[in-house]
């Protein structure tokens, strides 16, 4: 019984992160449909944060009756968590999704663990040990990942045909918003840059979240603060950009479904799960599961969204994932070596005490 509980506890972070990636992949498809319906990305992101803030605040008030003291420092970190993990990251990401493709945006997001590793080294959360094999592999991983992102961006190659059921969910009634299908190359490159900016922004959030977990160790309340800040920021930004009030009408349509699902499930549940996972396993572990959403989106986008899959996308994605798991292998090797050294030191100190007695 105890063994079963231990296994369940060990599998809990991984299981929750897998479910999070499934939800994230579903949001990619829903966003593409809402954008195709003519909805503005900034307005959609604003509604997403409003739904997410309402959900996470309700959870925090119900579950966490006792919480740490709220300080100006915590509010300051919550503001930047909302900015980098919410408003900025999501607006940039979904511009990349709309102006390039869902497969591209998801593939590029696999750079998050590699960029997170670089930031972790810069901020002293990870150490480089170039004298060891694991340390050299950890450095080589991000380099391969960056090469993969360049292949993904600059090389298309031949088109890969995936069987289709002719069940495309897109329609042709575009209204000239960011989701237009006839995009010039200039917009495509802006989409690429926005995708890269989103990766850097989200990686920054993982680092900030690590600091916030130490300062304010209440996962529901900290996620609620982040969602609230993100909702305020995203709404102000959307109001400045979008002057057409018809864009703010949701109705009983794909717009309402996308806003509610992305807000409650992803900005609510997934953010809470990720924040908890960062606190338990660290920022690098939390970013490891991103390739799963790539596989799901790469499979369903050609089937449902009429997106073309190219050889360059596959090669680039494989290189990015290889780079990611090289970093993970190096990290796990270092943890194993460190635990073995600790056990050896404890055993040595135990022998020394016995001899002294």
């Amino acid at each position: 019984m105890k063994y079963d509980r231990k296994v369940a506890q060990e599998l809990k972070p991984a299981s929750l992160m897998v479910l999070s990636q499934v939800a994230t992949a579903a949001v990619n498809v829903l966003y593409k449909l809402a954008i195709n319906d003519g909805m503005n990305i900034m307005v959609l992101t604003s509604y997403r944060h409003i739904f997410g803030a309402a959900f996470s605040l309700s959870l925090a008030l119900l579950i966490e009756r006792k919480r740490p003291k709220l300080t100006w420092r915590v509010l300051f970190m919550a503001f930047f968590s909302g900015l980098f993990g919410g408003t900025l990251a999501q607006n940039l990401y979904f511009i990349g999704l709309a102006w390039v493709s869902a497969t591209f945006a998801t593939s590029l997001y696999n750079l998050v663990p590699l960029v997170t590793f670089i930031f972790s080294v810069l901020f002293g959360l990870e150490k480089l040990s170039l004298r060891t094999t694991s340390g050299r592999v950890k450095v080589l991983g991000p380099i391969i990942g960056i090469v993969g992102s360049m292949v993904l961006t600059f090389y298309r190659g031949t088109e890969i045909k995936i069987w289709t059921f002719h069940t495309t969910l897109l329609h042709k009634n575009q209204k000239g918003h960011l989701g237009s299908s006839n995009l010039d190359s200039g917009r495509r490159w802006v989409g690429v840059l926005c995708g890269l900016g989103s990766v850097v922004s989200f990686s920054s959030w993982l680092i900030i979240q690590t600091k916030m977990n130490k300062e304010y160790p209440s996962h529901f309340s900290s996620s609620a603060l982040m969602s609230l800040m993100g909702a305020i920021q995203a709404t102000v930004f959307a109001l400045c950009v979008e002057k057409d009030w018809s864009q703010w009408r949701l109705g009983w349509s794909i717009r309402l479904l996308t806003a509610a699902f992305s807000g409650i499930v992803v900005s609510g549940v997934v953010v809470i799960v990720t924040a908890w996972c960062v606190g338990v396993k660290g920022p690098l572990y939390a970013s490891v599961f991103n390739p799963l959403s790539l596989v799901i989106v790469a499979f369903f986008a050609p089937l449902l969204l009429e997106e073309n899959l190219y050889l360059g996308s596959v090669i680039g994605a494989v290189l990015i994932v290889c780079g990611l798991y090289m970093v993970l292998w190096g990290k796990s090797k270092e943890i194993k070596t460190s635990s073995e050294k600790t056990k050896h030191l404890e055993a040595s100190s135990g022998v020394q005490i016995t001899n002294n007695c």
Side-chain angles (χ1 to χ4, degrees):
M1 195 72 176
K2 286 183 179 179
Y3 176 76
D4 291 340
R5 284 181 183 175
K6 188 178 179 181
V7 171
Q9 283 298 114
E10 287 293 320
L11 290 175
K12 187 178 176 182
S15 303
L16 289 173
M17 288 307 297
V18 167
L19 290 173
S20 298
Q21 289 306 308
V22 173
T24 303
V27 164
N28 279 311
V29 176
L30 286 173
Y31 252 82
K32 193 77 175 180
L33 296 174
I35 292 164
N36 179 75
D37 193 54
M39 191 172 189
N40 185 283
I41 288 176
M42 286 72 178
V43 174
L44 182 52
T45 303
S46 174
Y47 273 122
R48 170 179 176 164
H49 281 292
I50 290 168
F51 276 103
F55 176 77
S56 53
L57 278 169
S58 302
L59 269 184
L61 291 171
L62 285 171
I63 296 170
E64 290 179 341
R65 302 281 180 170
K66 294 179 181 178
R67 56 184 69 88
K69 186 182 177 182
L70 192 62
T71 63
W72 284 109
R73 182 179 167 85
V74 171
L75 283 173
F76 183 74
M77 284 191 287
F79 175 84
F80 282 102
S81 285
L83 180 65
F84 289 111
T87 308
L88 193 60
Q90 287 171 20
N91 275 314
L92 291 174
Y93 175 81
F94 288 111
I95 290 172
L97 181 144
W99 286 8
V100 187
S101 71
T103 307
F104 171 83
T106 314
S107 300
L108 199 64
Y109 234 60
N110 286 299
L111 281 173
V112 167
L114 307 177
V115 176
T116 302
F117 170 69
I118 294 168
F119 282 176
S120 297
V121 171
L122 292 175
F123 286 98
L125 299 174
E126 293 282 341
K127 290 182 180 179
L128 286 179
S129 304
L130 294 176
R131 294 180 181 179
T132 63
T133 305
S134 58
R136 288 193 289 270
V137 169
K138 276 171 67 179
V139 173
L140 188 60
I143 295 170
I144 291 175
I146 290 166
V147 171
S149 69
M150 292 177 71
V151 171
L152 188 73
T153 304
F154 295 107
Y155 175 66
R156 277 199 171 189
T158 56
E159 185 182 341
I160 298 173
K161 298 287 185 182
I162 294 181
W163 62 91
T164 179
F165 302 118
H166 303 289
T167 54
T168 178
L169 301 177
L170 297 179
H171 56 75
K172 303 301 179 184
N173 298 325
Q174 303 288 358
K175 298 180 183 179
H177 292 282
L178 294 173
S180 177
S181 58
N182 299 317
L183 303 172
D184 55 31
S185 59
R187 276 193 172 189
R188 186 179 185 278
W189 285 111
V190 172
V192 168
L193 291 174
C194 286
L196 289 169
S198 179
V199 168
V200 173
S201 181
F202 192 81
S203 298
S204 302
W205 171 68
L206 288 171
I207 301 300
I208 295 167
Q209 191 61 46
T210 306
K211 301 285 186 184
M212 190 166 177
N213 280 337
K214 292 177 181 176
E215 291 273 339
Y216 198 74
S218 296
H219 302 296
F220 290 98
S221 298
S222 65
S223 298
L225 281 171
M226 172 193 162
S227 295
L228 182 61
M229 292 293 183
I232 295 167
Q233 294 163 3
T235 303
V236 170
F237 183 63
L239 287 170
C240 292
V241 173
E242 183 56 66
K243 305 298 182 183
D244 183 5
W245 287 104
S246 65
Q247 279 291 320
W248 293 86
R249 295 190 196 122
L250 292 175
W252 293 99
S253 63
I254 189 65
R255 299 184 180 199
L256 177 61
L257 175 64
T258 305
F261 183 86
S262 62
I264 295 169
V265 178
V266 181
S267 291
V269 178
V270 171
V271 166
I272 290 168
V273 167
T274 306
W276 174 80
C277 206
V278 166
V280 173
K281 294 286 188 177
L284 197 60
Y285 181 90
S287 61
V288 166
F289 293 85
N290 284 354
L292 183 59
S293 62
L294 165 62
V295 175
I296 298 167
V297 171
F299 181 79
F300 282 103
L303 292 176
L304 302 177
L305 304 178
E306 285 189 332
E307 288 188 358
N308 296 325
L309 186 63
Y310 294 97
L311 181 63
S313 299
V314 175
I315 294 172
V318 168
L319 286 172
I320 289 171
V321 173
C322 286
L324 163 64
Y325 285 106
M326 285 176 73
V327 173
L328 289 177
W329 180 86
K331 178 68 177 173
S332 63
K333 198 77 174 173
E334 281 185 356
I335 291 170
K336 188 178 178 182
T337 305
S338 178
S339 63
E340 285 175 355
K341 281 182 180 178
T342 304
K343 286 179 183 177
H344 180 71
L345 286 171
E346 286 175 354
S348 299
S349 62
V351 170
Q352 212 169 23
I353 289 167
T354 305
N355 290 337
N356 289 337
C357 291

